[in-house]
């Protein structure tokens, strides 16, 4: 049996250096040290031997097992190191390679425009507030003094969720919500999305953006409104911009007006942009109607205020000489990436 043991050990000594993977190492371990291995068989059959023989064979078998275990463990360590080296080689990063440029998106032209408008008013001390795109008929119409028969309330002009709930058609409902929650002085602008049942064409979109403005305090007059909008026009369209008021009607303001700015392309001489008139309409405005102040919980005997509202799309289209509003929403990257 000593001979068998020797043979076994020699076999193992020859087999172990040839091992190339952890799987092979495992099967070699099973073959030489496992329950069904020759070594286990030899140890099991030792019962029949004399005491002396048992002692010497036992010693030899244990030595053989230890040697095989050591050889195997060393081999496995080598394999692990080699595997790690291979992996590091395979995954080596060439730090001298030029990097791949990360493509970062740009804000949409409407976002940029809303920010520009908000920034101008921020610089004049206004807070910028956002409101809910879903609002009630009360805030969108009734509280704004819009009579029950006003055409904008029609089912075909407005998106209704129910009789009382709708997608706001203007940012004006925020006037009343702000007044309800603030004691004057109030100075705020509200940029946001609005919705109307309009079929899309070059100048209409069922979803669009407005910026509302509201100022309420003691002694606010039309002169404050004019001064504010004149400053806004200069900061937004250039220092030489002039403004002009035209009388108009809005239910929530009295008196009401529309404001034109001198054409920022031709400077007022008349060109294709201003259709030869030298003026471009940009917003609606007026002194807040006493009924609207009352709806906002503000005493019209003590306070007065002005409000204005402008379309962000219209301003973006004019400023960047874009001739079709639909381009803003078509997600054509060639168009969108032009504005940074
Ligand atoms: N909400 C009006 C619209 O959508 C715009 C407007 C006009 C807002 C006059 C105002 C205002 O605050 O005073 O046409």
């Amino acid at each position: 049996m000593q001979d068998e043991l020797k043979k076994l050990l020699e076999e193992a000594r020859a087999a172990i250096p040839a091992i190339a993977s952890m799987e092979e190492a495992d099967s070699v371990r099973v073959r030489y040290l496992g329950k069904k291995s020759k070594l286990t068989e030899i140890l099991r059959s030792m019962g029949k031997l004399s005491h002396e023989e048992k002692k010497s064979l036992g010693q030899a078998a244990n030595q053989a097992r230890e040697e095989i275990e050591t050889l195997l463990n060393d081999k496995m360590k080598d394999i692990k190191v080699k595997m790690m080296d291979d992996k590091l080689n395979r995954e080596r990063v060439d730090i001298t390679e030029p990097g791949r440029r990360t493509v970062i998106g740009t804000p949409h032209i409407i976002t940029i425009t809303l920010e520009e408008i908000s920034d101008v008013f921020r610089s004049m001390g206004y807070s910028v507030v956002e409101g809910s795109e879903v609002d009630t008929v009360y805030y969108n119409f009734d509280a704004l003094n819009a009579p029950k028969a006003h055409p904008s309330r029609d089912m075909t002009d407005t998106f209704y969720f129910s009789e009382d709930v709708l997608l706001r058609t203007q940012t004006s409902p925020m006037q009343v919500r702000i007044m309800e929650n603030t004691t004057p002085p109030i100075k705020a602008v509200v940029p946001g999305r609005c919705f109307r049942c309009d079929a899309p064409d070059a100048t209409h979109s069922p979803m669009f953006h407005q910026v509302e403005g509201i100022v309420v305090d003691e002694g606010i007059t039309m002169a404050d409104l004019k001064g504010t909008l004149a400053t806004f026009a200069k900061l937004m369209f250039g220092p030489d911009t002039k403004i002009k008021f035209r009388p108009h009607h809005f239910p929530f303001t009295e008196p009401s007006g529309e404001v034109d700015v001198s054409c920022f392309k031709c400077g007022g001489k008349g060109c294709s942009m201003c259709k030869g008139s030298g003026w471009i309409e940009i917003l609606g405005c007026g002194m807040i109607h006493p009924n609207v102040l009352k709806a906002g919980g503000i005493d019209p005997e003590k306070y007065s205020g002005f409000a204005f509202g402008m379309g962000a799309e219209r301003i973006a289209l004019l400023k960047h000489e874009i001739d079709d509003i639909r381009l803003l929403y078509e997600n054509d990257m060639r168009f969108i990436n032009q504005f940074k």
Side-chain angles (χ1 to χ4, degrees):
M1 266 198 266
Q2 292 274 9
D3 292 344
E4 268 180 60
L5 203 55
K6 240 191 221 157
K7 204 172 129 213
L8 182 82
L9 190 55
E10 265 154 32
E11 251 183 61
R13 281 180 186 146
I16 291 169
I19 294 173
S21 69
M22 295 300 276
E23 291 75 34
E24 275 179 53
D26 220 43
S27 68
V28 170
R29 176 190 298 283
V30 172
R31 180 146 33 102
Y32 292 101
L33 304 172
K35 275 190 201 135
K36 290 178 185 160
S37 64
K38 195 85 192 161
L39 186 67
T40 310
E41 203 180 288
I42 291 171
L43 287 166
R44 264 199 206 119
S45 59
M46 275 189 348
K48 301 169 220 142
L49 302 177
S50 71
H51 185 67
E52 281 305 304
E53 280 173 322
K54 248 190 217 166
K55 203 174 157 195
S56 73
L57 188 64
Q59 245 174 19
N62 275 335
Q63 269 171 14
R65 192 220 314 270
E66 269 170 33
E67 183 177 336
I68 295 172
E69 268 173 2
T70 312
L71 287 173
L72 257 175
N73 286 342
D74 288 351
K75 185 69 194 174
M76 285 197 307
K77 257 188 231 153
D78 289 350
I79 293 173
K80 274 193 197 146
V81 170
K82 193 172 171 307
M83 272 166 52
M84 183 52 88
D85 281 350
D86 285 353
K87 192 167 155 69
L88 287 176
N89 260 330
R90 239 185 300 125
E91 295 175 5
R92 188 164 51 191
V93 176
D94 179 357
I95 56 165
T96 64
E97 232 183 48
R100 262 183 231 137
R101 188 183 289 274
T102 319
V103 185
I104 306 174
T106 56
H108 190 273
I109 180 63
I110 287 298
T111 310
I112 296 173
T113 308
L114 291 174
E115 266 309 304
E116 270 175 17
I117 299 170
S118 302
D119 275 350
V120 167
F121 285 103
R122 257 191 213 109
S123 76
M124 296 197 255
Y126 286 61
S127 0
V128 179
V129 193
E130 278 183 35
S132 168
E133 289 164 18
V134 176
D135 213 324
T136 57
V137 169
Y138 171 74
Y139 283 103
N140 197 81
F141 295 122
D142 296 299
L144 289 170
N145 203 34
K148 286 266 183 293
H150 198 277
S152 63
R153 297 178 69 134
D154 204 279
M155 293 302 281
T156 54
D157 282 322
T158 298
F159 294 108
Y160 288 89
F161 290 101
S162 66
E163 238 174 82
D164 304 320
V165 182
L166 44 68
L167 284 173
R168 65 175 175 195
T169 61
Q170 47 190 354
T171 42
S172 308
M174 277 304 285
Q175 287 187 28
V176 180
R177 288 188 176 278
I178 291 171
M179 287 193 276
E180 281 178 342
N181 291 311
T182 329
T183 351
I186 296 171
K187 259 175 113 176
V189 284
V190 186
R193 219 163 266 161
C194 306
F195 307 84
R196 289 182 198 175
C197 292
D198 277 331
D201 64 23
T203 53
H204 293 87
S205 159
M207 187 278 295
F208 56 99
H209 300 74
Q210 286 187 341
V211 180
E212 190 79 14
I214 172 172
V215 170
V216 180
D217 202 355
E218 284 180 50
I220 296 291
T221 68
M222 192 91 188
D224 297 307
L225 172 61
K226 281 181 81 175
T228 302
L229 294 179
T231 308
F232 164 71
K234 287 191 194 341
L235 291 172
M236 190 72 194
F237 301 107
D240 297 328
T241 313
K242 295 188 197 54
I243 60 166
K244 175 172 95 168
F245 279 71
R246 277 183 291 102
H248 199 78
H249 168 78
F250 295 106
F252 33 87
T253 39
E254 182 57 38
S256 307
E258 276 189 334
V259 168
D260 297 348
V261 292
S262 53
C263 179
F264 34 83
K265 192 170 179 198
C266 65
K269 284 196 235 38
C271 66
S272 61
M273 173 123 96
C274 55
K275 301 203 179 77
S277 75
W279 295 97
I280 294 174
E281 178 206 322
I282 56 154
L283 56 81
C285 64
M287 299 307 290
I288 303 177
H289 196 290
N291 288 351
V292 178
L293 289 171
K294 273 189 227 155
I298 284 176
D299 179 1
E301 297 299 327
K302 185 169 178 203
Y303 293 105
S304 56
F306 63 77
F308 54 86
M310 62 190 97
E313 276 76 2
R314 186 168 161 76
I315 291 180
L317 295 186
L318 288 166
K319 256 193 113 163
H320 300 279
E321 298 187 41
I322 303 162
D323 57 11
D324 195 321
I325 196 173
R326 288 167 290 198
L327 284 166
L328 301 178
Y329 306 117
E330 278 168 358
N331 288 342
D332 182 338
M333 297 307 277
R334 291 166 305 178
F335 173 79
I336 286 173
N337 281 333
Q338 293 177 67
F339 310 99
K340 302 220 161 114

